[in-house]
Amino acid sequence: METIDDVIQKKMSKSLLKFMKLIDPECHFGFTAELINAWNALTLVEQRKLYLFFLYRKWRGIGIYGEPYYIITGCHPAPFNWNQHSLGQTLIAERKAIIAKYNGSFGTYTRDEAKLYNMTDKQWFQ
Protein backbone atom coordinates (compact mmCIF):
# COMPACT_ATOMS: atom_id res chain seq x y z
CA MET A 1 0.00 0.00 0.00
CA GLU A 2 1.28 3.46 -0.91
CA THR A 3 1.94 5.99 1.79
CA ILE A 4 1.13 9.67 1.44
CA ASP A 5 4.89 10.32 1.03
CA ASP A 6 4.96 7.91 -1.94
CA VAL A 7 2.07 9.73 -3.60
CA ILE A 8 3.65 13.15 -3.02
CA GLN A 9 7.00 11.92 -4.37
CA LYS A 10 5.34 10.59 -7.55
CA LYS A 11 3.52 13.88 -8.07
CA MET A 12 6.76 15.84 -7.64
CA SER A 13 8.57 13.50 -10.01
CA LYS A 14 5.93 14.05 -12.69
CA SER A 15 6.23 17.82 -12.34
CA LEU A 16 10.02 17.62 -12.61
CA LEU A 17 9.71 15.43 -15.69
CA LYS A 18 7.42 18.01 -17.35
CA PHE A 19 9.82 20.79 -16.42
CA MET A 20 12.78 18.87 -17.84
CA LYS A 21 10.91 18.22 -21.10
CA LEU A 22 10.41 21.97 -21.37
CA ILE A 23 13.95 23.13 -20.61
CA ASP A 24 15.89 20.11 -21.93
CA PRO A 25 13.77 18.45 -24.63
CA GLU A 26 16.78 16.67 -26.15
CA CYS A 27 17.75 15.12 -22.78
CA HIS A 28 21.30 16.44 -22.62
CA PHE A 29 21.19 16.41 -18.83
CA GLY A 30 20.23 13.54 -16.56
CA PHE A 31 18.28 13.36 -13.35
CA THR A 32 20.79 13.64 -10.54
CA ALA A 33 20.05 13.49 -6.83
CA GLU A 34 21.06 17.17 -6.60
CA LEU A 35 18.59 18.10 -9.32
CA ILE A 36 15.73 16.16 -7.75
CA ASN A 37 16.48 17.59 -4.30
CA ALA A 38 16.65 21.13 -5.69
CA TRP A 39 13.27 20.69 -7.39
CA ASN A 40 11.70 19.13 -4.31
CA ALA A 41 13.02 22.01 -2.17
CA LEU A 42 10.80 24.41 -4.13
CA THR A 43 7.22 24.94 -3.09
CA LEU A 44 4.49 24.02 -5.56
CA VAL A 45 3.96 27.72 -6.30
CA GLU A 46 7.68 28.23 -6.95
CA GLN A 47 7.70 25.21 -9.28
CA ARG A 48 4.74 26.60 -11.20
CA LYS A 49 6.32 30.05 -11.48
CA LEU A 50 9.51 28.53 -12.84
CA TYR A 51 7.61 26.39 -15.34
CA LEU A 52 5.49 29.29 -16.61
CA PHE A 53 8.52 31.56 -16.83
CA PHE A 54 10.29 29.18 -19.19
CA LEU A 55 7.16 28.20 -21.10
CA TYR A 56 6.49 31.84 -21.89
CA ARG A 57 10.13 32.36 -22.86
CA LYS A 58 9.69 29.57 -25.41
CA TRP A 59 6.49 31.14 -26.69
CA ARG A 60 8.39 34.38 -27.26
CA GLY A 61 11.20 32.57 -29.09
CA ILE A 62 13.78 33.08 -26.35
CA GLY A 63 16.17 30.15 -25.90
CA ILE A 64 16.71 28.28 -22.66
CA TYR A 65 20.34 27.80 -21.73
CA GLY A 66 22.12 26.28 -18.77
CA GLU A 67 22.12 23.16 -16.68
CA PRO A 68 18.76 22.32 -15.11
CA TYR A 69 20.19 22.29 -11.57
CA TYR A 70 21.50 25.84 -11.95
CA ILE A 71 18.28 26.96 -13.62
CA ILE A 72 16.26 25.63 -10.67
CA THR A 73 18.55 27.04 -7.99
CA GLY A 74 19.52 30.32 -9.64
CA CYS A 75 16.52 31.54 -11.62
CA HIS A 76 14.24 34.15 -10.14
CA PRO A 77 11.15 34.11 -12.36
CA ALA A 78 9.01 37.17 -12.86
CA PRO A 79 5.73 37.57 -14.70
CA PHE A 80 5.82 38.84 -18.27
CA ASN A 81 3.69 41.82 -19.29
CA TRP A 82 2.12 40.78 -22.61
CA ASN A 83 1.06 44.35 -23.37
CA GLN A 84 2.49 45.42 -26.74
CA HIS A 85 3.53 41.82 -27.60
CA SER A 86 2.01 40.11 -30.63
CA LEU A 87 1.01 37.04 -28.62
CA GLY A 88 -0.77 39.28 -26.13
CA GLN A 89 -3.63 39.87 -28.57
CA THR A 90 -4.06 36.11 -29.02
CA LEU A 91 -4.13 35.56 -25.26
CA ILE A 92 -6.72 38.31 -24.90
CA ALA A 93 -8.88 36.88 -27.70
CA GLU A 94 -8.75 33.43 -26.07
CA ARG A 95 -9.63 34.99 -22.69
CA LYS A 96 -6.38 33.72 -21.18
CA ALA A 97 -5.10 37.18 -20.27
CA ILE A 98 -6.34 39.85 -17.91
CA ILE A 99 -5.35 43.31 -16.80
CA ALA A 100 -3.75 43.15 -13.37
CA LYS A 101 -1.54 45.19 -11.07
CA TYR A 102 1.92 43.83 -10.28
CA ASN A 103 4.48 45.80 -8.26
CA GLY A 104 2.32 48.92 -8.48
CA SER A 105 1.86 48.93 -12.26
CA PHE A 106 -0.93 47.61 -14.45
CA GLY A 107 -0.17 45.25 -17.30
CA THR A 108 -1.50 42.39 -19.37
CA TYR A 109 -0.75 39.07 -17.72
CA THR A 110 -2.00 35.53 -18.13
CA ARG A 111 -4.61 34.41 -15.63
CA ASP A 112 -2.13 31.83 -14.31
CA GLU A 113 0.50 34.48 -13.62
CA ALA A 114 -2.03 36.76 -11.95
CA LYS A 115 -2.97 33.95 -9.60
CA LEU A 116 0.58 32.71 -8.88
CA TYR A 117 1.97 36.18 -8.24
CA ASN A 118 -1.05 37.29 -6.17
CA MET A 119 -1.71 40.26 -8.45
CA THR A 120 -4.36 42.75 -7.46
CA ASP A 121 -7.02 44.83 -9.24
CA LYS A 122 -7.70 42.09 -11.79
CA GLN A 123 -9.97 43.07 -14.67
CA TRP A 124 -11.18 41.14 -17.69
CA PHE A 125 -10.82 42.63 -21.14
CA GLN A 126 -14.16 43.76 -22.59
Side-chain angles (χ1 to χ4, degrees):
M1 182 169 189
E2 283 184 317
T3 67
I4 189 71
D5 289 336
D6 294 335
V7 173
I8 291 171
Q9 189 62 34
K10 280 184 184 176
K11 191 165 189 93
M12 284 188 200
S13 298
K14 287 181 184 178
S15 65
L16 178 56
L17 181 60
K18 283 183 129 178
F19 182 71
M20 289 295 288
K21 284 182 180 179
L22 175 66
I23 64 167
D24 184 26
E26 289 139 16
C27 301
H28 294 294
F29 302 96
F31 287 82
T32 63
E34 285 179 322
L35 175 69
I36 294 168
N37 290 337
W39 182 256
N40 290 342
L42 298 176
T43 66
L44 185 58
V45 169
E46 291 169 331
Q47 290 174 0
R48 289 178 177 166
K49 285 179 180 180
L50 204 55
Y51 183 84
L52 282 181
F53 179 75
F54 285 102
L55 177 65
Y56 296 162
R57 281 179 63 98
K58 256 193 173 167
W59 285 5
R60 296 186 333 254
I62 301 170
I64 300 170
Y65 307 102
E67 293 183 35
Y69 173 80
Y70 295 108
I71 289 173
I72 291 170
T73 59
C75 181
H76 304 287
F80 180 73
N81 184 350
W82 293 93
N83 193 23
Q84 304 298 323
H85 191 280
S86 59
L87 287 176
Q89 293 303 316
T90 303
L91 292 168
I92 292 167
E94 294 175 356
R95 299 195 46 84
K96 293 180 181 175
I98 62 173
I99 299 168
K101 188 185 266 186
Y102 178 72
N103 280 348
S105 298
F106 282 97
T108 303
Y109 300 97
T110 64
R111 291 175 17 193
D112 293 332
E113 286 175 311
K115 183 178 179 181
L116 284 173
Y117 288 91
N118 296 317
M119 294 182 190
T120 59
D121 301 325
K122 300 174 197 172
Q123 305 165 21
W124 286 98
F125 285 93
Q126 300 299 333

